[in-house]
Amino acid sequence: MTNKERFYEAFAHTEHVVFGRKLKRFTLRHRFWLETLECGAVVGGTVDWPAVELGVRICSMPYEGLDDAVKKLLRRGPRWWEAWRFLWRAMRGDLAKEYGALLEYMGDHGCAPERNGDGGGAGMTYEAMPGLLSLVCGVVRASGGWSPDTVWSLSPGEAEWYCTACYMHRGVDMGIKTEHDERFEAGLAEHGEAIRAVIAEAKRKRKEAAAAKAAEAAEAAD
């Protein structure tokens, strides 16, 4: 897998259903709770049905209100019908298959770019950051803190305009062309050959005039 493919993998997600539950977008906050609760299916150690169930329960909660939902789950524990459903699924399920599906889900949301461990060296070339991500980061930085979700909702053209306008507002010359510049360039493109011919003729005449003047000066000196 190339870094370009890793970029698409990290940002484009498919639906994941593990142990009978539809999983939500995997965020850093989900990872935080899984590590805090020392979920064996995530941090390593014993991987059994309770570990897979814990990972699935946490990851099936939406980011909005995640902290409260996890604390509520820890306070009250599973309800009797949830415990019964867990036992029924565990008896009928395939632990290796469900655990593999959970890992696939986290891999889908956690595909990071590959980097050189030594930081590279002289003469090495590097793959450019994907253009879309560079644009999103550019708008986030230029805007002074817009959320990535806000920026991703923009059209590509809107994002470019906002990024340019934010930097211009700070006094940075972004090289925006004036209408005069655009009309001049349009005329140059349309009549370029004729203009270049006129310029070439003027240069030729100046060169001939300079040569004639030099010749007259030489004759006068003789």
Side-chain angles (χ1 to χ4, degrees):
M1 183 182 292
T2 65
N3 269 339
K4 183 177 181 180
E5 292 168 333
R6 291 185 185 92
F7 165 68
Y8 293 131
E9 179 71 14
F11 282 83
H13 310 301
T14 58
E15 182 178 277
H16 293 268
V17 178
V18 184
F19 208 30
R21 296 181 185 274
K22 184 184 295 186
L23 305 188
K24 303 297 184 181
R25 183 169 64 93
F26 189 56
T27 68
L28 294 174
R29 200 65 181 172
H30 287 88
R31 180 79 189 194
F32 163 78
W33 279 113
L34 291 172
E35 292 185 1
T36 298
L37 299 175
E38 298 183 348
C39 177
V42 176
V43 301
T46 302
V47 178
D48 51 16
W49 279 119
V52 172
E53 167 70 1
L54 176 60
V56 170
R57 286 293 298 268
I58 298 298
C59 295
S60 64
M61 299 174 180
Y63 170 78
E64 296 76 14
L66 176 62
D67 291 357
D68 290 339
V70 173
K71 293 172 184 176
K72 183 177 180 180
L73 175 64
L74 295 176
R75 282 196 307 268
R76 65 170 173 77
R79 297 184 174 92
W80 68 265
W81 62 85
E82 293 174 331
W84 180 88
R85 184 171 56 185
F86 162 73
L87 292 174
W88 183 79
R89 287 176 176 171
M91 287 187 295
R92 295 169 57 89
D94 183 333
L95 177 59
K97 179 181 177 181
E98 298 295 347
Y99 177 51
L102 182 61
L103 292 179
E104 182 180 344
Y105 156 76
M106 289 188 290
D108 181 24
H109 291 259
C111 200
E114 285 291 319
R115 298 184 290 266
N116 290 302
D118 59 359
M124 295 186 69
T125 58
Y126 302 93
E127 186 170 357
M129 184 64 66
L132 277 176
L133 187 57
S134 295
L135 178 57
V136 170
C137 293
V139 177
V140 170
R141 180 180 181 184
S143 65
W146 284 1
S147 73
D149 284 344
T150 298
V151 180
W152 276 109
S153 70
L154 301 173
S155 72
E158 289 173 335
E160 294 281 4
W161 275 105
Y162 275 119
C163 188
T164 301
C166 285
Y167 278 116
M168 289 182 68
H169 184 69
R170 297 181 186 180
V172 179
D173 182 5
M174 299 299 291
I176 292 292
K177 295 178 181 178
T178 64
E179 291 185 13
H180 177 270
D181 294 332
E182 293 185 339
R183 286 198 300 269
F184 175 78
E185 291 184 359
L188 188 63
E190 183 179 356
H191 307 291
E193 286 300 323
I195 293 173
R196 282 190 286 273
V198 170
I199 293 174
E201 179 64 15
K203 288 182 177 179
R204 184 187 66 79
K205 289 181 178 180
R206 284 198 299 270
K207 186 175 181 180
E208 288 180 352
K213 187 174 181 180
E216 290 177 1
E219 289 180 2
D222 292 340

